[in-house]
Structures are given as C-alpha cells and as structure tokens.
Amino acid sequence: MDTALIKDSADARKTFPFIVNTLKFASSDREIDTREILNISDHRPADEHQLIRIADRRTFALDLERKTDLGEKGVENFRAFRSDRTFRFTVDARGFDWGLANIDETELRGICEIGADQVFKLERDDGSDEIVDDGSEINLDHKGTERLRIIHRPKVLVTVNTKPVELSRGHHTGMDIKLSAIAQGVNIRVDFVLDVEPAGGGDPKIIGDSDVVFIRGGERFAAVDHHEDS
C-alpha cells in the first residue's frame, strides 16, 4: 500500500490536540483554519477575536483563513483574545504579535524561555531604557513598536547597617539579604532581625526570613540583634 495512503488512514483514526489559553482541545482534522480553532475553543464570533500562535519562542498573529497543521510539531499552543487589533513588538529584534495592549512579563518570560538570571530591558528612543520588573505588565500601546532586549539580570547596591551590599535586581527573601550581607563582610548574624526603611519615609518594616521583597537598588536595611541577655 502507498505510504501516503497509510498515513492518511492513520490520521483519519485519531484526533489532533491543541491548546488555547492553557485549555486543551482537539480536532478530527489534522489541518484546520484559524476560524475553526476559535470556534472549537468557544471564541465566537471568530471574526471578533485574534488568534496568536506560540511557537519557536515567538508569537504570530494568524489570519482567519490561515491553515495550521496540528500534526507537524507536536501540540500547538495558541492564545485567543477578543480584539480587532494586533499589537506588535520585538524581542532581540525578532518580531512578536499580541492581542492586547499589555503583556504579562511572566508570560513573555515563558514564551521566550529565558532563565532566572535574565531580564527584559525596554529600549526607548530617548535613551531612557527601563528594566522590566519581574511579574509586571509591559505596555505595548505606546507610539511605535516596543523594543525589548534580553540581558543578564543586573546587580544593584543596597545598604545593610549602612554598609553597601550587592544583590541581583529582583526578588529576595529576608534570609537571602542577610546571607549576602554576611558574605560581603557586614558584621551581623543570620538570627538578627532585618527591617527596611520605607522609600517614602515612615516606620521601618520588619522583613521575616521567608518574606520576599523586590530589590531595585537603593533600599536601606538594618539588621539588629534583638536577643536579650539572660
């Protein structure tokens, strides 16, 4: 029997899974157009939605009549949006499409498969480049195309008991901060109580060992021995 006929016969007996907005669906057809994907996943009417394909660490807006081969590259992954507009941006000069005016940094991090030691930097024409905070939203609705770069997570300086301590920009626990301070020569112990001076003033806030704070640089911490002599 012709191998193409064998393949076609096998395809006729199976369904082809795909994912839309993290939910799993399936089609009896291997090749399916965008309109069918939206209808199957209950995004109706299809012409009031945008379908974005996530593949090869990029995103692609699909026309309604565009055919997708669901059996070519494993389980296809899509995002559907009720929107009549596509927002375009770049990451390391590679084009991306999105269906909303904002994209969550955490979702983009997953799409681009970047490591914990990397962050996004938003490049501005006026030179006021901006590091994107972990877990924040990136606004894609500015004039022109937003340009992002993937860079190594930068180091920033904080103070602990007025002594400079270098930390990576991002989330740290209270214990992380104390251990880093000790490693960099600050005369404290891990059982000291850590607090941070609020940026806007006011009373210091105690940071527990497992409490998580986001470090941008410039934070001022104090670590004090609160044990009383017996």
Side-chain angles (χ1 to χ4, degrees):
M1 181 182 290
D2 186 278
T3 55
L5 292 177
I6 294 174
K7 180 172 177 296
D8 289 344
S9 177
D11 284 351
R13 294 193 300 268
K14 66 185 292 188
T15 58
F16 298 90
F18 60 93
I19 294 169
V20 180
N21 295 354
T22 73
L23 299 177
K24 196 169 184 177
F25 301 91
S27 169
S28 57
D29 297 319
R30 173 170 172 158
E31 288 197 1
I32 184 172
D33 64 32
T34 299
R35 187 183 300 275
E36 291 174 281
I37 293 171
L38 288 167
N39 285 333
I40 290 172
S41 61
D42 201 27
H43 291 90
R44 301 186 181 95
D47 57 7
E48 293 183 5
H49 289 79
Q50 289 276 355
L51 189 70
I52 304 293
R53 180 179 179 237
I54 300 172
D56 302 320
R57 291 179 292 180
R58 291 181 65 185
T59 62
F60 308 85
L62 302 181
D63 294 336
L64 283 177
E65 310 308 322
R66 168 73 179 269
K67 290 281 189 181
T68 298
D69 187 341
L70 298 178
E72 183 179 9
K73 290 186 176 181
V75 179
E76 292 283 356
N77 190 12
F78 303 95
R79 286 282 267 116
F81 303 92
R82 195 176 192 96
S83 172
D84 60 359
R85 181 178 172 188
T86 300
F87 296 85
R88 293 187 169 87
F89 62 100
T90 65
V91 177
D92 287 346
R94 303 173 73 209
F96 284 67
D97 300 318
W98 203 241
L100 292 177
N102 296 285
I103 184 169
D104 186 81
E105 183 273 347
T106 303
E107 184 162 13
L108 184 58
R109 176 178 288 274
I111 291 169
C112 295
E113 299 178 11
I114 74 171
D117 61 343
Q118 297 175 303
V119 295
F120 295 107
K121 181 174 76 170
L122 185 58
E123 296 184 333
R124 305 278 192 199
D125 290 335
D126 63 4
S128 58
D129 296 350
E130 176 185 340
I131 302 296
V132 178
D133 287 348
D134 299 48
S136 65
E137 286 197 338
I138 303 168
N139 188 347
L140 307 175
D141 202 23
H142 293 298
K143 184 179 179 181
T145 301
E146 296 290 2
R147 302 189 308 274
L148 295 158
R149 292 282 181 188
I150 298 171
I151 63 171
H152 287 294
R153 187 177 292 277
K155 299 289 186 180
V156 296
L157 284 178
V158 303
T159 60
V160 177
N161 292 356
T162 74
K163 301 293 191 290
V165 174
E166 186 180 75
L167 297 171
S168 60
R169 191 180 193 278
H171 291 103
H172 292 269
T173 65
M175 182 58 74
D176 290 338
I177 296 166
K178 289 191 287 187
L179 289 173
S180 295
I182 292 168
Q184 295 176 53
V186 181
N187 186 25
I188 63 172
R189 298 194 306 270
V190 293
D191 62 349
F192 278 23
V193 176
L194 184 73
D195 63 42
V196 62
E197 181 180 311
D203 295 333
K205 177 184 176 182
I206 291 177
I207 307 297
D209 288 349
S210 59
D211 291 344
V212 177
V213 293
F214 192 91
I215 300 296
R216 295 180 175 84
E219 290 84 357
R220 291 187 287 186
F221 296 93
V224 181
D225 185 358
H226 279 195
H227 293 93
E228 295 181 357
D229 293 334
S230 56

